[in-house]
Amino acid sequence: MSALRDLYQQVILDHNRNPKNFRVMQNATGSIEGYNPLCGDHYTIYVRMDGDVIADISFTGAGCAISKASASVMSSMLKGKTLGDAEGMFRDFRGLVTGALASEEEMERLGKLAAFAGVSEFPARVKCASLPWHTLHAALDGTSHAISTE
Ligand code: ZN
């Protein structure tokens, strides 16, 4: 288990150091700011929809390693997915960081997202990991005001 944990930690460190899709999107169809005042995480998530498909996701901003890695993994996993797929992954991720998902099949389905499983042991960090997801969710719902985890 500790080797697995080290591997997960590595995923978070790598994505924090070299975040994917870390850029302003000029032709976004939606963008929204998300804050986590508890930690100081603050990001803008950009999304470009093509019908029902998330054609592109990017983000800018700053925060702790967990929030930045979470935004990076989320953006790379959801690009090209339908809204329905995104909704399912959003639910899976919530289950993961709140400790509700545990079986090996579920972890396998989550792929790189499983790296955030350890977060469930640290309640304050759950908000860091969830912030990008909540922010994207609000953007897909057409919310235009900034959202906050508090
Ligand atoms: Zn944070």
Side-chain angles (χ1 to χ4, degrees):
M1 192 63 199
S2 91
L4 193 61
R5 188 155 294 189
D6 288 349
L7 177 70
Y8 285 168
Q9 196 126 41
Q10 200 55 48
V11 169
I12 291 173
L13 291 176
D14 286 348
H15 276 267
N16 176 53
R17 210 174 299 136
N18 298 303
K20 303 260 194 294
N21 307 302
F22 189 72
R23 57 185 157 81
V24 175
M25 195 191 299
Q26 301 298 348
N27 55 351
T29 54
S31 69
I32 184 168
E33 283 178 74
Y35 297 91
N36 173 14
L38 212 61
C39 177
D41 309 316
H42 175 203
Y43 295 98
T44 301
I45 308 264
Y46 301 86
V47 61
R48 183 163 56 81
M49 297 302 297
D50 182 5
D52 193 34
V53 173
I54 301 171
D56 201 6
I57 302 184
S58 70
F59 72 103
T60 59
C64 66
I66 289 180
S67 62
K68 187 177 267 185
S70 179
S72 173
V73 171
M74 178 186 79
S75 66
S76 56
M77 289 194 81
L78 289 186
K79 203 186 279 196
K81 297 283 194 294
T82 64
L83 283 178
D85 290 340
E87 198 66 43
M89 289 174 92
F90 183 75
R91 264 198 312 274
D92 283 350
F93 188 76
R94 268 210 70 74
L96 179 77
V97 296
T98 55
L101 281 189
S103 83
E104 245 162 68
E105 298 82 60
E106 284 172 321
M107 296 293 256
E108 217 153 280
R109 186 157 48 101
L110 285 165
K112 275 195 181 146
L113 286 185
F116 296 92
V119 166
S120 64
E121 291 166 37
F122 306 95
R125 309 262 85 171
V126 171
K127 287 183 177 171
C128 300
S130 306
L131 175 68
W133 290 83
H134 282 302
T135 307
L136 175 72
H137 201 245
L140 295 177
D141 272 352
T143 308
S144 55
H145 58 84
I147 70 146
S148 168
T149 53
E150 295 302 304

